[in-house]
Amino acid sequence: METKPEALIVEAAQNGHLASFAVLYERYYGCMVALAYSVLGDRGLAEDAAQETFATACRNLPNLKSKDKFAAWLAGICRNITKQMQRSENRFVVLNDDAPAKGERDNHGDLIRRAVWKLRAVHREPIVLRYYNGLSYEQISATLGISQQAVHGRLTRAKRKIAKYLKRNGFTGGEL
Amino acid sequence: MNSFKNNNDEKWLDDLLGKSIGSEKVEPDFEKWRQNHPQAVEMLISRANRQYSASICPISIWRTIMKSSITKLAAAAVIIIAVTFATIVLNKSVPTASAAQQILTDAIKAVSDIHSVYIKAKMRTLPQDNFAYIGLALDFVPLKMWKRIDENGLLKWRIEKPLRVVAMDGKEATLLIRQTYASRGRCPNFECYDVDWCGRLMNVENLLDSELQKAKQRPDSELCLRHENINGKDKLVLEIETLAQGDYTNDYIKNKFIFTSDNMRVYHFDAETKLLEGFEIYVHSGDKDVLVFETTDIQYNPEINDNLFTLELPKDIVWNIEPQVLPDNEKYAQMGPKETAQAFFKACAEENWDEFLKYWSMSKADERIKRYLGGLEIISLGEPFKSGRYPGWLVPYEVKLKYGEIKKHNLAVRNDNPAKRYIIDGGI
């Protein structure tokens, strides 16, 4: 099948072409789950948020002006929905050292997750997008609406912060 | 090796992050999502259906003959729209409607030598009532509109029906009702006295474009632009279906005003000049379409006497005034819609006209209103309700007038004024 530029697929979806919307859903569902997970820290809730994100997008698609920024627009919807879910469930996911992550598997994992969720959103989002579901730089770039170079920069800075946090908490790479 | 000594060596951290926050691959299931969100899907698909209805019309434009540059531009625009819509429907491909609309807008801008217009029409309305008021069972009342832009770009206009006229002299608009009541105020873009729809009609230079833009912005609009050849002349017919805006759980206000009706507006344009040649509004009511407005004559660039844009007001005019904050304003501001209706009718019953004016935004209670409402008896008041997008409340009432007539109606009250107290806005 011929690959169409995404803006064309978006415009077709805006005009009610359901199959085009399905293409966008398949393409970005994983990104939205990862993005929601970066806030909610729970797979089930993140999937709920992603599904609601697409429902909202479906209803509001005609309002999207920049068709080449669909993923970033979608991410904005996803952030709003996850914030609402967080407020409604009064969830605070691993934001302090006393709150363990859900589904913790081991002490290292717990410490790592704490380090990640202590990051500001600007750094936490690319980290979770990259490692939660193995998204490519291209996918992260589209979702966050930034260049691939900026993605690389944010990931590098985020990892340095994580490394520092681990070091402060007595963890070294040699313990692996 | 301790990896913290070498920040470039991030592989250990990559592995650790992958193990700690990694997840099983997320598998999208669009079909399941679709089943779980039928309303959202329906909204999406309905857009395709709307465009299908639009796509039927413009096909005949292919037959449009290129007679002038304007025709060429317009035809090109319409062809693009037609091809766009047809492409969506037939090939499930991708539209470029925005490009088509831009060309059409440019074509319409080319028609810029209209400095005055005079429109005669007929409308199912009451001769003294609001300019947007309609009644499907009412007889037609004549309506006239004038608009002129002078050499300095100053806009003046006038709209009138037998017992109601509004004239804008370039600075202010003055409204006169029954030669008795008047109101005055600035009126940019025809946004006063419910004449904005008349203003749009008289804005012939970009009427077609503005309607297309408006339809584009409103998801509940459905438009059809088609070509006709009448007696050898090319015509463009634009039909726009519009749904009433607002909540009609209580549909009292439905079909009482143009903007509270589900209607179809039909514009007839000359294909070459893009000038409006005719206009109708059909209100959808049950299984009937009722013609409520129709132009009978449209003249371009007529000479219009400047006197037409000013009104000579009779002596002892009763002015509409904006409610002011009273010394005891708090007492009135605390009243709800029903209490206001009760207090208003009580003032009428007691012929306490000073108190009456606390609820009546006029400079005085004139003899006509005193005769009509003075000494009435309140039979009952119902619970206030809302309808459509009316910003105030409607209070059902039944009163017995002094001369024996039983009047059962809904009193319209609103408090979106500087004094924040409810004022009678209609329903008398």
Side-chain angles (χ1 to χ4, degrees):
Chain A
M1 180 186 153
E2 186 190 348
T3 305
K4 290 175 182 167
E6 185 162 288
L8 299 184
I9 298 171
V10 172
E11 192 165 353
Q14 284 183 314
N15 287 300
H17 190 210
L18 191 60
S20 296
F21 191 77
V23 170
L24 297 169
Y25 182 92
E26 303 272 341
R27 187 174 290 180
Y28 290 111
Y29 180 74
C31 300
M32 292 307 114
V33 172
L35 191 62
Y37 184 81
S38 78
V39 177
L40 299 167
D42 179 286
R43 166 90 180 231
L45 286 174
E47 293 220 27
D48 288 348
Q51 295 202 14
E52 192 51 40
T53 296
F54 280 96
T56 303
C58 192
R59 287 190 290 267
N60 294 294
L61 204 51
N63 300 333
L64 173 62
K65 298 281 186 284
S66 304
K67 297 173 184 63
D68 56 340
K69 292 180 180 162
F70 173 78
W73 176 73
L74 197 64
I77 294 172
C78 185
R79 288 189 190 97
N80 286 335
I81 286 171
T82 50
K83 278 179 196 165
Q84 286 165 13
M85 288 175 71
Q86 200 177 34
R87 275 198 293 269
S88 64
E89 302 221 354
N90 198 20
R91 295 179 59 83
F92 295 94
V93 182
V94 204
L95 291 179
N96 58 61
D97 288 350
D98 301 324
K102 276 198 126 194
E104 63 181 292
R105 282 164 264 181
D106 52 55
N107 289 337
H108 293 333
D110 181 24
L111 191 61
I112 285 279
R113 283 188 293 277
R114 275 188 200 152
V116 170
W117 264 274
K118 281 186 78 70
L119 294 171
R120 289 190 300 128
V122 68
H123 291 128
R124 188 174 66 248
E125 285 181 353
I127 283 285
V128 177
L129 287 170
R130 179 71 173 154
Y131 294 99
Y132 180 72
N133 207 9
L135 298 184
S136 67
Y137 273 35
E138 188 183 358
Q139 288 172 306
I140 299 172
S141 162
T143 305
L144 299 182
I146 57 177
S147 67
Q148 291 190 39
Q149 200 174 5
V151 170
H152 179 72
R154 286 190 194 181
L155 280 170
T156 303
R157 284 191 289 278
K159 282 194 272 190
R160 280 186 190 148
K161 285 173 188 287
I162 292 169
K164 279 183 187 171
Y165 179 86
L166 296 178
K167 187 178 181 183
R168 275 204 310 276
N169 286 276
F171 180 83
T172 66
E175 294 173 24
L176 272 171
Chain B
M1 180 184 122
N2 186 340
S3 299
F4 291 126
K5 291 174 185 171
N6 181 1
N7 281 332
N8 292 325
D9 182 6
E10 295 172 338
K11 190 172 183 317
W12 67 272
L13 190 52
D14 284 338
D15 292 341
L16 200 55
L17 283 164
K19 283 180 186 171
S20 302
I21 62 173
S23 160
E24 291 172 16
K25 189 163 174 55
V26 174
E27 294 293 345
D29 184 344
F30 182 74
E31 200 49 45
K32 187 177 172 189
W33 175 85
R34 177 186 176 164
Q35 287 165 11
N36 289 337
H37 299 87
Q39 287 179 330
V41 170
E42 180 57 35
M43 280 182 73
L44 187 82
I45 293 173
S46 67
R47 282 194 280 277
N49 294 339
R50 275 203 296 275
Q51 298 223 355
Y52 182 79
S53 70
S55 74
I56 296 167
C57 305
I59 302 300
S60 61
I61 294 302
W62 283 105
R63 291 195 291 271
T64 301
I65 299 167
M66 308 297 180
K67 289 178 180 170
S68 71
S69 56
I70 290 174
T71 310
K72 285 176 189 173
L73 280 170
V78 178
I79 288 166
I80 289 171
I81 293 172
V83 171
T84 296
F85 290 147
T87 306
I88 298 163
V89 174
L90 301 176
N91 300 336
K92 302 292 183 194
S93 186
V94 178
T96 53
S98 54
Q101 294 219 352
Q102 185 56 52
I103 294 170
L104 191 54
T105 304
D106 293 344
I108 294 160
K109 278 181 183 169
V111 188
S112 57
D113 63 342
I114 303 301
H115 56 81
S116 66
V117 60
Y118 170 44
I119 297 175
K120 285 171 76 175
K122 58 182 186 178
M123 182 173 180
R124 292 189 192 277
T125 184
L126 291 171
Q128 77 284 0
D129 217 309
N130 186 303
F131 281 110
Y133 180 79
I134 52 173
L136 306 192
L138 294 173
D139 287 334
F140 281 106
V141 165
L143 188 74
K144 295 176 185 173
M145 309 176 197
W146 295 261
K147 186 187 106 169
R148 192 186 73 190
I149 299 173
D150 67 18
E151 59 274 19
N152 299 317
L154 192 63
L155 170 69
K156 298 181 179 184
W157 50 266
R158 176 186 177 111
I159 301 165
E160 73 173 41
K161 52 184 183 175
L163 295 175
R164 191 179 189 101
V165 55
V166 57
M168 211 284 278
D169 62 6
K171 291 180 182 173
E172 285 186 319
T174 304
L175 173 72
L176 180 62
I177 306 166
R178 290 181 187 274
Q179 291 289 311
T180 305
Y181 309 102
S183 179
R184 186 170 279 161
R186 285 174 48 76
C187 190
N189 304 318
F190 292 88
E191 289 169 359
C192 64
Y193 310 130
D194 287 313
V195 297
D196 55 330
W197 68 277
C198 303
R200 205 158 46 242
L201 194 57
M202 288 193 284
N203 193 10
V204 289
E205 304 92 302
N206 51 22
L207 173 63
L208 184 51
D209 178 60
S210 68
E211 282 292 13
L212 288 170
Q213 294 298 333
K214 195 159 169 272
K216 193 179 167 191
Q217 288 162 9
R218 288 178 59 168
D220 55 357
S221 292
E222 190 174 300
L223 70 87
C224 168
L225 183 61
R226 60 189 162 82
H227 169 256
E228 285 180 356
N229 191 294
I230 300 173
N231 299 328
K233 290 191 173 180
D234 293 326
K235 308 291 177 190
L236 284 176
V237 180
L238 176 67
E239 297 176 352
I240 299 184
E241 294 277 1
T242 307
L243 296 177
Q245 299 291 294
D247 179 2
Y248 292 92
T249 307
N250 186 315
D251 65 356
Y252 169 70
I253 210 165
K254 189 81 181 279
N255 292 346
K256 286 191 168 55
F257 297 90
I258 286 174
F259 48 82
T260 67
S261 67
D262 298 338
N263 64 54
M264 179 172 71
R265 303 193 297 277
V266 184
Y267 297 90
H268 302 265
F269 296 92
D270 181 280
E272 190 168 324
T273 63
K274 300 297 174 303
L275 292 180
L276 182 73
E277 295 187 327
F279 174 62
E280 298 117 39
I281 301 175
Y282 295 87
V283 169
H284 305 309
S285 175
D287 57 355
K288 288 188 299 184
D289 288 345
V290 181
L291 177 68
V292 296
F293 180 91
E294 183 180 22
T295 55
T296 52
D297 185 26
I298 300 180
Q299 296 174 21
Y300 292 103
N301 291 335
E303 287 298 318
I304 303 176
N305 191 316
D306 208 49
N307 293 338
L308 203 69
F309 302 115
T310 53
L311 293 181
E312 280 203 21
L313 300 180
K315 289 178 182 174
D316 299 328
I317 203 79
V318 182
W319 283 98
N320 179 274
I321 51 173
E322 192 165 59
Q324 302 298 308
V325 176
L326 301 168
D328 54 350
N329 197 68
E330 189 66 20
K331 170 185 159 189
Y332 297 96
Q334 285 177 353
M335 288 183 180
K338 191 174 181 179
E339 289 170 283
T340 301
Q342 174 81 38
F344 169 72
F345 285 127
K346 184 168 179 280
C348 295
E350 294 171 353
E351 302 191 45
N352 181 348
W353 304 116
D354 287 339
E355 188 65 11
F356 169 90
L357 287 173
K358 305 285 174 59
Y359 313 99
W360 191 250
S361 57
M362 291 287 177
S363 56
K364 66 180 182 182
D366 63 294
E367 290 307 313
R368 183 176 160 275
I369 204 80
K370 285 180 181 177
R371 279 199 307 275
Y372 184 63
L373 295 175
L376 60 74
E377 287 177 36
I378 304 172
I379 298 173
S380 66
L381 287 175
E383 290 307 311
F385 65 93
K386 281 189 167 282
S387 185
R389 294 177 76 180
Y390 180 62
W393 290 84
L394 296 147
V395 186
Y397 71 85
E398 189 172 357
V399 296
K400 184 178 181 184
L401 301 174
K402 190 192 274 184
Y403 301 105
E405 181 192 345
I406 304 286
K407 187 169 178 67
K408 194 174 180 180
H409 202 9
N410 296 306
L411 194 66
V413 296
R414 59 194 292 175
N415 68 347
D416 51 346
N417 56 62
K420 303 290 180 200
R421 54 194 162 87
Y422 280 102
I423 295 296
I424 311 306
D425 192 37
I428 295 294

